[in-house]
Amino acid sequence: MADSSTQSIVVGASPERVAAVICDFARYPEWTDAVRRTEVVEEYEDGYASQVRFTLDAGVLADEYVLAYEYAEDISRIEWHLVAPSKMQRSQRGSYDLVGNPDGTTTVTYTLEVELSVGMLGMFRRKAEKMIMDAALKQLKRRVEDTGAAR
């Protein structure tokens, strides 16, 4: 059974801008350290990705997997799950919840639940999850704020 972990960060941009970066899967290799390649496998009629293949290389963790995505109508929630088990994962579920703040920033809450195919002691798994989530949120914040300033 996988445990769920949650972390939040405040990003200096609107929820729409944050969602645009999250949903631009083709550019993930430009700003996420571990993602080597992405491929949108299927799209919904509105153009949002419904399935995305990821090639990940984080040193000790290398994997290729496909995630299925669903979106709230207002894109305030983006959630995903693993389509089929991969070399390293039995299951993965996650979400980004985006809440606009009165000062024009967005609170991004990242929830992730991963069940690995390989055994890992609980304390090491939790530490790895925390490091993955910290990096993902910091890299997202940097990408949104850097590209927002360039616009």
Side-chain angles (χ1 to χ4, degrees):
M1 186 74 179
D3 293 324
S4 180
S5 298
T6 300
Q7 288 187 36
S8 297
I9 196 167
V10 175
V11 178
S14 69
E16 295 79 16
R17 179 73 196 124
V18 175
V21 170
I22 292 170
C23 294
D24 189 0
F25 297 104
R27 294 185 180 255
Y28 274 41
E30 294 176 12
W31 60 271
T32 55
D33 293 340
V35 176
R36 296 292 171 248
R37 192 170 57 245
T38 57
E39 176 192 357
V40 175
V41 179
E42 290 181 15
E43 291 183 342
Y44 292 108
E45 288 181 13
D46 60 8
Y48 283 99
S50 62
Q51 290 193 10
V52 181
R53 176 176 289 110
F54 289 85
T55 303
L56 189 75
D57 187 354
V60 296
L61 177 66
D63 203 5
E64 186 173 314
Y65 53 91
V66 176
L67 298 178
Y69 283 85
E70 294 180 16
Y71 309 85
E73 196 166 315
D74 62 357
I75 311 296
S76 63
R77 180 176 179 84
I78 301 163
E79 56 187 37
W80 63 87
H81 68 271
L82 191 66
V83 171
S86 67
K87 180 175 73 171
M88 297 294 292
Q89 303 175 72
R90 280 194 195 116
S91 69
Q92 180 185 147
R93 290 195 165 282
S95 64
Y96 284 110
D97 288 293
L98 312 177
V99 177
N101 300 314
D103 63 357
T105 62
T106 300
T107 300
V108 179
T109 302
Y110 181 21
T111 303
L112 182 64
E113 176 183 300
V114 177
E115 186 177 355
L116 296 174
S117 299
V118 294
M120 185 181 284
L121 290 174
M123 65 183 225
F124 292 118
R125 186 180 49 77
R126 284 187 292 282
K127 184 173 178 143
E129 280 178 358
K130 181 177 178 3
M131 288 173 49
I132 289 165
M133 294 180 84
D134 281 349
L137 286 171
K138 287 175 184 168
Q139 291 171 15
L140 173 64
K141 177 181 174 71
R142 185 170 51 244
R143 177 65 173 203
V144 171
E145 292 177 353
D146 287 354
T147 57
R151 292 183 134 211

